[in-house]
């Protein structure tokens, strides 16, 4: 029985295995997951500019390095790849060759990981080497800067890696060592734990242009090569003293030169030195660069970073005409949504084919260096108005973006969700070393402390507003200001320093608090106690409110409203002061009514400053006010004199309507949360109370209608320059014509002057 059972069991196994083989050969093989033996795969991070825990992902498969396409790429894919590289997890990923285009094969495309796979080969994909991508779509990852315990870089080829990550200019002139920005010096690259030099044999102006662009400068200039030979050659001590003393004083301490690169050849359009062709010195390079010396570069700073007479000269040149390009909505200097001026109207650029070459032309034109990032998908918020350019294709040598080939577009081609943006290289100024946050719960908040001389101390909170907080967050490199905190008693006070700065008043665009007005060395603060020190809460994103100007123009009209219907409005101060003297309830008030549609085009929801606990209930209108003054309405004469005014409390901030695929989040009913979601708008119809200006006392004439959102800067936004809207209007005592409505900074300077000098309507025909 035992032997018979054994034989039967063996027969059954053979039968089952044959069935399994037949089924496996008969069914088509799905595209993934594709399993690849572990030892074949190796990974590395490459590209520019980057830190050690980020970069373009390159995979070694079939004895060849290649890249991964960004199609369908997700954070789950990045998690798997970061673990391959020895990091615990991913914090983000990058598309469109953010770290530069790779070379060779594109090994993987349409990768789809769940996140828990042990190998990228276990994820679904199109198959090794099967891709319809170009290297403009190379994917990158940003890994959490925490290594897997015990991880060894056995899967990374650590050879003389053919990429250069960090580059610096080391000044050798004594005065220049203390002065920022550094515009001239020896070019050095990071090598192991130190810095190494580049041999200047064959070095030309195109190489210098690339280095200057990396350092944040728009152009290079010729350098006196002979002058630097004193600092680089080994000379007798007495001889060095004689040579140096005759011109400028050099640091002449003997330095052991360590050459790393030679035969550098750039075209001048590269955004990083690693994109140029060059060669590494192998092994002992002590005798290298025999006929040359370290490469030296001298750069021309842009107007924002120039000093002395050069700065004034640049300013005079700029004043000769308005620039035709600008950046909007960025938290830092040198970043933002790209806007261009055409036919006296500012508009945006569609991101189709937007790349680092075109972005670098923008950056240099504005006085910055080359581009760090060419951003797509309205990453710096959406603009309004026309989209002037599409498919911009610069070579990188152009002086202006308008010199690059581009296509004019129709509304169907692009939307503002595709607005292009840039992040430019800017010179290192060291401002972040003069400010710090103390005692906050996170790195984004805390009591502001500044360095004055050699002493750290707090800042007086008298007059501390959103504008000052914006500058502090910018200087800290922490994005936008979310809140300007004037009482900081709830943060830890055990290590509080004394107050060193008061009277700070900023315009909001400064790079450092030291650039704002302040009391200098003489302190003048009403409350010097710890609890009244200034603080900030910063955020990487912010809202951006804009009024839809055409709707104001379309809906404006005059109503004579009986006084007996205006009791609630009078209670909320929505009428002019002369209404108090009226013979209530008889008579009427003349009101200019219009609708307001307020869009949030930023990257964070607009929320009222006050929490729900401090909202004010108004019994007459039976609603809560979350902001006392949300909008100012004014009638101005052409010279700016105010002849009528109104204000609008936020009766209820909510999402009236949203763009397609955006869900409403805020609704006022039942004491709901108030706010405006990104991609939504709040509509105040012309027929609700206080949606007007009381013009009872206004005489016939030509005026400017002005509407300003968030006028007291109570809530932080990425851009306050677009919060005002202006219209021309003619009032004949019976009727009003409202036209030429536009956002305050939407027109050229010349067009704005024409608008303000408008002579008025001669008839009711508006051309």
């Amino acid at each position: 029985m035992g032997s018979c059972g054994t034989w039967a069991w063996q027969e059954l196994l053979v039968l089952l295995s044959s069935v399994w083989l037949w089924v496996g050969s008969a069914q088509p093989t799905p595209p993934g997951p594709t399993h690849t033996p572990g030892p074949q795969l190796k990974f590395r991070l490459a590209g520019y500019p980057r830190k050690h825990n980020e970069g373009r992902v390159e995979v070694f498969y079939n004895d060849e390095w290649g890249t991964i396409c960004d199609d369908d790429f997700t954070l789950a894919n990045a998690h798997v790849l970061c673990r391959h590289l020895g990091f615990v997890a991913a914090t983000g990923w990058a598309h469109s060759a953010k770290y530069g285009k790779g070379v060779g094969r594109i090994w993987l495309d349409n990768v789809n990981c769940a996140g828990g796979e042990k190998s990228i080969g276990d994820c679904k994909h199109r198959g090794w080497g099967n891709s319809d991508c170009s290297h403009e779509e190379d994917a990158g990852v940003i890994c959490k800067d925490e290594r897997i315990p015990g991880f060894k870089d056995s899967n990374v080829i650590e050879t003389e890696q053919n990429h250069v990550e960090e580059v610096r200019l080391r000044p050798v002139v004594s005065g220049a060592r203390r002065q920022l920005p550094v515009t001239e010096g020896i070019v050095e690259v990071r090598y192991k734990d130190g810095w190494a030099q580049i041999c200047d044999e064959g070095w030309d102006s195109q190489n210098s242009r690339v280095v200057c662009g990396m350092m944040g400068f728009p152009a290079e200039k010729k350098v006196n090569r002979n002058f630097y030979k004193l600092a680089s050659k080994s000379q007798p001590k007495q001889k060095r003293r004689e040579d140096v003393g005759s011109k400028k004083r050099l640091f002449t301490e003997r330095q052991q030169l360590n050459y790393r690169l030679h035969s550098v050849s750039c075209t001048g359009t590269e955004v990083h030195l690693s994109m140029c062709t060059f060669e590494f010195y192998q092994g002992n390079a002590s005798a290298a660069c025999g006929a040359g010396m370290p490469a030296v570069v001298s750069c021309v700073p842009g107007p924002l970073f120039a000093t002395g007479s050069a700065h004034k000269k640049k300013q005079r040149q700029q004043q000769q005409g308005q620039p035709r390009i600008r950046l909007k909505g960025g938290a830092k200097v040198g970043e933002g949504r790209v806007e261009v001026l055409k036919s006296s109207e500012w508009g945006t650029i569609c991101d189709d084919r937007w790349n680092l070459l075109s972005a670098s032309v923008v950056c240099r034109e504005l006085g910055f260096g080359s581009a760090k990032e060419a951003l797509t998908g309205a990453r710096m918020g959406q603009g309004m108005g026309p989209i002037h350019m599409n498919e911009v294709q610069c070579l990188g040598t152009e002086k202006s973006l308008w010199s690059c080939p581009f296509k004019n577009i129709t509304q169907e081609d692009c939307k503002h969700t595709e607005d292009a943006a840039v992040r430019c290289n800017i010179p290192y100024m060291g401002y972040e070393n003069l400010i710090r946050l103390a005692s906050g719960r996170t790195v984004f908040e805390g009591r502001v402390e500044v360095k004055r001389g050699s002493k750290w101390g707090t800042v007086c909170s008298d007059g501390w507003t959103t504008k000052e907080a914006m500058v502090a967050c910018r200087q800290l490199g922490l994005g936008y200001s979310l809140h300007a905190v004037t009482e900081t008693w709830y943060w830890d006070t055990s290590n509080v320093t004394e107050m060193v700065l008061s009277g700070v008043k900023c315009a909001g665009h400064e790079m450092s608090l030291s650039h704002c007005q302040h009391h200098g060395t003489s302190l003048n603060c009403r409350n010097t106690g710890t609890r009244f020190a200034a603080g900030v809460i910063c955020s990487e994103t912010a809202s951006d409110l804009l009024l839809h100007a055409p709707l104001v123009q379309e809906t404006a009209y005059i109503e004579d409203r009986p006084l007996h219907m205006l009791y609630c409005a009078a209670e909320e101060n929505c009428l002019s002061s002369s209404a108090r003297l009226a013979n209530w309830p008889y008579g009427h008030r003349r009101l200019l009514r219009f609708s307001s549609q307020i869009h949030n085009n930023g990257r964070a929801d607009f929320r009222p400053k006050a929490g729900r606990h401090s909202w004010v209930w108004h019994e007459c209108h039976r609603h809560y006010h979350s902001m006392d003054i949300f909008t100012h309405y004014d009638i101005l004469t052409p010279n700016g004199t105010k002849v009528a005014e109104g204000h609008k409390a936020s009766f209820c901030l909510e999402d009236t309507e949203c763009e397609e695929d955006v869900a409403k989040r805020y609704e006022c009913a039942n004491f709901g949360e108030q706010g405006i979601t990104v991609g939504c708008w709040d509509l105040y119809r012309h027929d609700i109370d206080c949606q007007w200006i009381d013009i009872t006392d206004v005489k016939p004439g030509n005026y400017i209608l002005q509407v300003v959102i968030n006028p007291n800067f109570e809530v932080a936004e990425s851009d306050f320059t677009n919060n005002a809207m202006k219209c021309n209007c003619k009032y004949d005592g019976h009727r009003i014509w409202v036209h030429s409505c536009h956002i305050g900074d939407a027109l050229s300077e010349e067009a704005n002057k024409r608008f303000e000098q408008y002579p008025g309507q001669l008839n009711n025909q508006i051309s």
Side-chain angles (χ1 to χ4, degrees):
M1 182 71 182
S3 61
C4 185
T6 302
W7 178 86
W9 180 246
Q10 290 172 344
E11 285 285 300
L12 181 61
L13 284 175
V14 171
L15 180 63
L16 285 173
S17 62
S18 65
V19 171
W20 179 79
L21 285 170
W22 177 83
V23 171
S25 61
Q27 291 181 337
T29 305
T34 306
H35 295 273
T36 308
Q40 286 184 321
L41 297 183
K42 297 178 182 179
F43 299 85
R44 70 183 180 191
L45 292 174
Y48 60 89
R50 66 183 186 87
K51 299 176 183 175
H52 65 282
N53 59 322
E54 63 177 325
R56 179 178 65 248
V57 180
E58 296 191 348
V59 55
F60 191 70
Y61 173 77
N62 201 21
D63 294 325
E64 187 178 350
W65 284 103
T67 61
I68 299 175
C69 181
D70 62 11
D71 289 352
D72 301 330
F73 207 86
T74 64
L75 190 61
N77 298 357
H79 282 311
V80 175
L81 288 164
C82 284
R83 288 196 296 271
H84 272 306
L85 293 157
F87 298 96
V88 294
T91 59
W93 61 277
H95 61 87
S96 305
K98 172 185 172 181
Y99 301 102
K101 294 186 286 188
V103 294
R105 299 287 295 273
I106 299 175
W107 278 125
L108 293 172
D109 190 5
N110 299 114
V111 180
N112 185 5
C113 301
E117 292 87 350
K118 291 185 178 181
S119 169
I120 196 73
D122 295 336
C123 304
K124 292 180 180 178
H125 55 79
R126 291 177 58 149
W128 290 92
N130 183 8
S131 170
D132 59 0
C133 298
S134 70
H135 281 295
E136 290 183 347
E137 300 168 85
D138 284 344
V141 295
I142 303 101
C143 302
K144 186 177 181 181
D145 195 5
E146 182 181 339
R147 303 292 287 178
I148 297 172
F151 182 87
K152 294 181 181 178
D153 290 335
S154 57
N155 67 332
V156 180
I157 294 182
E158 292 288 354
T159 59
E160 294 284 334
Q161 294 181 2
N162 287 351
H163 61 262
V164 174
E165 293 180 16
E166 279 189 78
V167 180
R168 74 175 185 183
L169 282 185
R170 180 173 62 83
V172 296
V173 180
S174 57
R177 289 178 75 95
R178 293 185 297 272
Q179 187 177 346
L180 291 175
V182 175
T183 59
E184 182 172 309
I186 295 173
V187 185
E188 296 188 327
V189 297
R190 172 71 75 179
Y191 180 53
K192 295 182 177 177
D193 294 327
W195 294 89
Q197 293 77 42
I198 302 174
C199 181
D200 75 343
E201 291 177 348
W203 187 270
D204 61 17
S205 62
Q206 302 301 338
N207 299 351
S208 297
R209 175 179 166 84
V210 172
V211 172
C212 287
M214 291 176 63
M215 299 296 108
F217 303 112
E220 77 292 343
K221 64 180 180 181
K222 195 169 183 179
V223 68
N224 184 353
R225 186 172 178 269
N226 293 327
F227 175 67
Y228 279 86
K229 286 184 178 178
L230 296 171
S232 62
K233 299 295 182 183
S234 299
Q235 302 173 21
K237 194 171 184 180
Q238 185 61 35
K239 174 66 175 166
R240 287 203 307 269
R241 281 186 189 142
E242 292 169 4
D243 290 338
V244 172
S246 63
K247 200 165 185 181
K248 297 181 183 177
R249 179 166 180 79
L250 297 176
F251 281 100
T252 56
E253 62 268 18
R254 188 167 179 173
Q255 182 187 1
Q256 181 65 44
L257 296 175
N258 177 21
Y259 288 104
R260 172 82 172 131
L261 272 64
H262 67 96
S263 304
V264 178
S265 179
C266 305
T267 65
T269 61
E270 298 88 349
V271 298
H272 198 279
L273 198 63
S274 64
M275 298 177 70
C276 305
T277 60
F278 51 81
E279 294 183 28
F280 287 95
Y281 284 111
Q282 304 294 331
N284 183 9
S286 58
C289 201
M293 57 176 269
V296 177
V297 163
S298 184
C299 305
V300 179
L304 269 179
F305 304 97
T307 55
S309 59
H311 180 47
K312 293 173 185 174
K313 183 180 177 183
K314 272 284 185 184
Q315 281 186 327
R316 282 197 299 271
Q317 290 174 350
Q318 278 200 322
Q319 288 167 0
Q320 292 172 3
Q322 185 184 15
R324 297 180 65 197
I325 191 165
R326 68 185 183 186
L327 300 182
K328 300 284 283 183
K332 302 174 186 175
V333 173
E335 69 175 34
R337 179 177 63 254
V338 183
E339 295 190 352
V340 291
L341 186 63
K342 181 181 179 183
S343 302
S344 298
E345 189 173 8
W346 288 99
T348 61
I349 297 174
C350 187
D351 63 11
D352 291 350
R353 306 189 76 166
W354 186 246
N355 60 24
L356 283 165
L357 286 174
S358 300
S360 289
V361 171
V362 170
C363 291
R364 291 183 188 270
E365 185 176 354
L366 290 166
F368 305 114
S370 50
K372 271 196 295 192
E373 291 183 73
L375 301 170
T376 58
R379 287 272 300 281
M380 291 290 175
Q382 296 181 36
M384 284 193 85
I387 300 173
H388 284 321
M389 305 170 89
N390 187 25
E391 295 194 25
V392 181
Q393 296 181 66
C394 300
L395 298 174
T397 56
E398 297 87 349
K399 295 289 185 185
S400 169
L401 193 71
W402 287 104
S403 303
C404 303
F406 67 91
K407 290 184 180 178
N408 292 310
I409 67 163
T410 61
Q411 194 64 35
E412 291 74 33
D413 291 329
C414 277
K415 297 180 180 177
H416 283 295
T417 52
E418 301 168 81
D419 284 343
V422 296
R423 283 198 178 103
C424 305
N425 287 312
I426 65 169
Y428 174 74
M429 301 300 292
Y431 294 138
E432 68 274 20
N433 300 324
L434 303 176
I435 189 171
R436 67 188 183 190
L437 295 182
S439 305
R441 296 161 298 181
T442 70
V443 295
F444 284 91
E445 68 173 35
R447 190 179 296 106
V448 175
E449 294 185 355
V450 294
K451 191 175 185 181
R452 304 281 290 165
S454 59
K455 187 178 182 181
W456 285 93
T458 58
V459 178
C460 176
S461 65
D462 289 352
W464 186 257
T465 69
T466 298
K467 287 188 174 183
E468 288 72 40
M470 284 169 64
V471 176
C473 290
R474 181 179 299 122
Q475 186 177 353
L476 287 157
L478 296 178
Y480 308 94
S481 159
L482 193 59
H483 292 297
V485 183
T486 54
E487 292 190 28
T488 53
W489 51 268
Y490 44 81
W491 285 328
D492 180 27
T493 58
S494 57
N495 294 314
V496 175
T497 54
E498 63 181 271
M499 198 166 284
V500 297
L501 190 63
S502 65
V504 180
K505 186 174 179 60
C506 303
H509 56 73
E510 296 89 348
M511 289 185 277
S512 165
L513 286 177
S514 63
H515 297 166
C516 304
Q517 296 179 28
H518 55 80
H519 289 154
T521 54
S522 57
L523 285 178
N524 183 8
C525 189
R526 285 179 302 173
N527 298 293
T528 56
T530 302
R531 63 174 292 176
F532 297 105
V536 292
I537 300 176
C538 303
S539 172
E540 291 180 319
T541 57
S543 61
D544 185 20
L545 297 188
L546 292 98
L547 188 69
H548 186 54
L551 186 65
V552 175
Q553 184 169 314
E554 293 163 9
T555 57
Y557 65 96
I558 285 176
E559 179 193 10
D560 289 336
R561 194 164 181 80
L563 282 173
H564 69 83
M565 300 177 71
L566 293 172
Y567 279 105
C568 282
E571 181 188 301
E572 297 194 13
N573 296 316
C574 294
L575 301 175
S576 63
S577 56
S578 66
R580 300 192 197 112
L581 306 175
N583 185 23
W584 292 77
Y586 308 106
H588 67 270
R589 304 299 291 181
R590 177 156 289 183
L591 309 175
L592 170 58
R593 310 196 70 142
F594 51 87
S595 296
S596 292
Q597 186 173 295
I598 298 158
H599 293 244
N600 182 1
N601 283 5
R603 292 187 294 143
D605 294 354
F606 183 92
R607 300 296 308 279
K609 180 180 178 181
R612 199 189 301 199
H613 63 282
S614 58
W615 293 353
V616 178
W617 172 256
H618 281 255
E619 181 64 31
C620 198
H621 282 131
R622 302 196 62 78
H623 56 228
Y624 284 96
H625 285 188
S626 56
M627 292 175 68
D628 285 338
I629 297 178
F630 178 56
T631 316
H632 275 168
Y633 304 143
D634 298 311
I635 297 289
L636 311 172
T637 63
N639 66 7
T641 304
K642 194 180 296 184
V643 294
E645 63 182 50
H647 78 271
K648 180 77 173 173
S650 59
F651 281 9
C652 167
L653 286 174
E654 66 177 357
D655 298 327
T656 308
E657 294 292 340
C658 297
E659 294 172 2
E660 191 178 353
D661 300 328
V662 178
K664 297 180 183 179
R665 298 183 59 186
Y666 302 105
E667 188 176 4
C668 297
N670 302 317
F671 198 37
E673 288 289 350
Q674 294 194 22
I676 307 176
T677 305
V678 175
C680 298
W681 55 89
D682 190 6
L683 175 63
Y684 287 95
R685 286 173 50 91
H686 57 83
D687 54 0
I688 65 173
D689 257 10
C690 294
Q691 187 59 38
W692 63 57
I693 303 176
D694 185 350
I695 62 170
T696 306
D697 306 320
V698 175
K699 297 175 182 178
N702 300 308
Y703 297 100
I704 293 173
L705 166 62
Q706 178 176 274
V707 179
V708 184
I709 310 167
N710 192 16
N712 297 336
F713 311 108
E714 285 188 37
V715 178
E717 297 184 49
S718 60
D719 185 5
F720 286 113
T721 62
N722 56 13
N723 281 29
M725 185 223 66
K726 294 181 179 181
C727 305
N728 279 128
C729 55
K730 177 180 176 63
Y731 175 49
D732 66 1
H734 306 284
R735 299 164 298 174
I736 196 162
W737 290 273
V738 175
H739 62 100
S740 303
C741 294
H742 63 278
I743 298 299
D745 66 344
L747 303 182
S748 67
E749 292 174 2
E750 186 181 343
N752 264 324
K753 286 177 183 175
R754 289 198 303 269
F755 171 86
E756 290 167 3
Q757 295 166 2
Y758 177 71
Q761 290 295 115
L762 302 177
N763 53 48
N764 64 355
Q765 301 299 313
I766 300 172
S767 57

